[in-house]
């Protein structure tokens, strides 16, 4: 990962281990070539215990998948022939270990993706903000008019953007996240703990920033962003229940975009909605932060 992982948290071994279930096996494939090129692919192998009708299987079968949020093999400058050789080797290994299917959610930023020989299915888009060559004024101008108005209104109401780049940000961030997850009745797998957040800081030191919308010294909304080389992810966000009717969510989200731009991101990835449908309320909300941001 240090050599080939492109500083990608979702491919880091500690991250993959942390999200694997007790009966699953975190693994990675690594292929090295004579010219020094390496292809690195982190994934999780899980058992298939029943068929589609719920009947127990008589034979041991498995599939492999990439953990949330994005995955797929990584390589800085692999040529097409090397990529083909990698996938042929993966296919042979999977057959030998009775792995019958593979599920990858590729990132919506095309640049780091390697060609894939399997079936690609496009779901609802994720939103990516193009920041390449943007000034702060450009980023603000790219907001939809209503979002820009809410952002400016929030600042006029006395809100301010505060950025914390180390683990001390967990103290203010976690209560907002917990309250948001409780309010949304979110599945347990989407809730994070203090230990989990500290693991991310250890795995990718210097690549995490917490962006808060504060008012009168009180954090109302927060967004955790994670950098990866010249890209960034809006990883987790939340807003206090008593601040939902105001502009705190918008102030924090716009503040995170500006922090990503200042950190050198060419693209800031907001991810997608909740339901994997094009008419998702969260997806519509995210579309307000840029123009032409839909990505496969």
């Amino acid at each position: 990962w240090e050599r080939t992982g492109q500083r990608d948290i979702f491919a880091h071994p500690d991250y993959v281990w942390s999200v694997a279930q007790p009966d699953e096996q975190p693994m990675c494939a690594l292929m090295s070539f004579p010219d020094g090129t390496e292809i690195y692919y982190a994934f999780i192998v899980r058992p298939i215990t029943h068929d589609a009708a719920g009947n127990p299987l008589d034979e041991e079968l498995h599939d492999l998948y990439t953990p949330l949020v994005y995955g797929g093999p990584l390589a800085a400058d692999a040529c097409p022939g090397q990529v083909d050789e990698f996938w042929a080797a993966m296919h042979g290994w999977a057959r030998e270990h009775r792995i019958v299917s593979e599920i990858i959610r590729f990132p919506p930023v095309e640049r780091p993706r390697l060609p894939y020989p399997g079936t690609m299915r496009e779901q609802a888009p994720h939103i990516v903000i193009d920041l390449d060559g943007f000034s702060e004024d450009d980023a603000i101008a790219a907001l939809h008019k209503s979002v820009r108005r809410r952002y400016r209104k929030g600042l006029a109401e006395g809100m301010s953007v505060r950025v914390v780049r180390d683990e001390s940000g967990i103290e203010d961030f976690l209560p907002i996240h917990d309250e948001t997850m409780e309010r949304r009745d979110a599945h347990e797998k989407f809730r994070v703990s203090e230990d989990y957040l500290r693991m991310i800081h250890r795995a990718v030191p210097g690549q995490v920033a917490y962006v808060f919308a504060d008012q009168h010294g009180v954090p109302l909304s927060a967004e955790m962003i994670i950098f990866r080389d010249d890209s960034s992810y809006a990883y987790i966000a939340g807003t206090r229940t008593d601040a939902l009717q105001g502009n705190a969510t918008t102030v924090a989200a716009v503040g995170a975009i500006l922090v990503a731009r200042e950190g050198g991101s060419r693209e800031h990835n907001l991810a997608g909605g909740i339901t994997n449908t094009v008419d998702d309320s969260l997806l519509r909300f995210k579309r307000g932060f840029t123009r032409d941001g839909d990505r496969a």
Side-chain angles (χ1 to χ4, degrees):
W1 183 89
E2 289 287 350
R3 293 190 308 270
T4 314
Q6 301 176 9
R7 302 172 71 208
D8 184 358
I9 180 61
F10 306 124
H12 191 283
D14 290 350
Y15 181 89
V16 179
W17 275 97
S18 72
V19 298
Q21 298 302 304
D23 61 341
E24 300 176 344
Q25 179 63 49
M27 302 189 77
C28 83
L30 179 70
M31 179 171 277
S32 301
F33 296 90
D35 65 357
T37 299
E38 290 184 317
I39 299 179
Y40 170 92
Y41 178 29
F43 53 85
I44 298 173
V45 175
R46 61 186 172 191
I48 303 173
T49 58
H50 294 75
D51 65 16
N55 303 310
L57 293 182
D58 295 330
E59 54 183 335
E60 183 177 346
L61 300 175
H62 301 84
D63 66 9
L64 66 83
Y65 71 98
T66 55
L68 288 173
V69 178
Y70 302 112
L74 299 170
D77 46 18
C79 70
Q82 291 171 329
V83 175
D84 290 345
E85 187 175 343
F86 171 81
W87 283 121
M90 275 296 298
H91 191 197
W93 175 84
R95 204 164 45 235
E96 180 182 344
H97 290 83
R98 306 193 61 75
I99 295 171
V100 298
S101 61
E102 172 181 60
I103 301 124
I104 303 174
R105 183 196 237 180
F106 286 101
V109 176
E110 187 172 349
R111 191 172 60 257
R113 290 203 301 253
L114 295 181
Y116 183 61
T119 302
M120 300 279 281
R121 179 180 294 110
E122 185 175 348
Q123 293 186 308
H126 283 194
I127 306 303
V128 177
I129 301 173
D130 185 1
L131 295 173
D132 200 10
F134 267 35
S135 66
E136 181 173 326
D137 289 342
D138 293 332
I140 298 297
L143 302 172
H144 284 222
K145 185 177 180 180
S146 60
V147 174
R148 191 163 55 246
R149 184 170 60 247
R150 290 197 299 269
Y151 173 66
R152 289 172 173 163
K153 185 177 180 182
L155 297 180
E157 293 168 345
M159 293 184 196
S160 60
V161 174
R162 174 170 56 97
V163 185
V164 181
R165 301 180 185 274
D166 57 30
E167 295 182 39
S168 66
I170 296 174
E171 182 178 354
D172 283 341
F173 178 81
L174 203 52
I176 295 175
H177 166 78
D178 288 344
E179 184 176 335
T180 302
M181 294 293 99
E182 195 67 32
R183 184 176 68 244
R184 299 296 302 174
D185 194 25
H187 191 281
E188 198 63 35
K189 71 178 181 179
F190 295 117
R191 304 183 185 216
V192 301
S193 65
E194 179 179 343
D195 288 344
Y196 178 87
L197 294 178
R198 294 193 186 280
M199 175 274 296
I200 291 178
H201 280 274
R202 290 192 303 270
V204 287
Q207 293 177 224
V208 178
Y210 301 96
V211 183
F212 297 96
D214 292 352
Q215 191 171 39
H216 309 307
V218 178
L220 303 180
S221 184
E223 191 153 310
M224 177 186 180
I225 63 176
I226 303 178
F227 288 87
R228 168 197 170 164
D229 282 346
D230 53 2
S231 296
S232 54
Y233 304 104
Y235 182 50
I236 310 174
T239 300
R240 283 177 37 170
T241 304
D242 58 7
L244 286 175
Q245 300 306 311
N247 301 295
T249 304
T250 299
V251 170
V254 174
I257 294 169
L258 299 181
V259 169
R261 187 201 68 83
E262 292 166 5
S265 285
R266 294 169 59 182
E267 306 97 357
H268 185 55
N269 182 359
L270 301 185
I274 299 172
T275 59
N276 271 334
T277 62
V278 293
D279 191 31
D280 181 279
S281 60
L282 180 58
L283 185 64
R284 290 199 305 271
F285 172 76
K286 291 178 178 180
R287 280 189 170 123
F289 292 91
T290 188
R291 304 179 190 279
D292 303 320
D294 286 23
R295 299 288 185 274

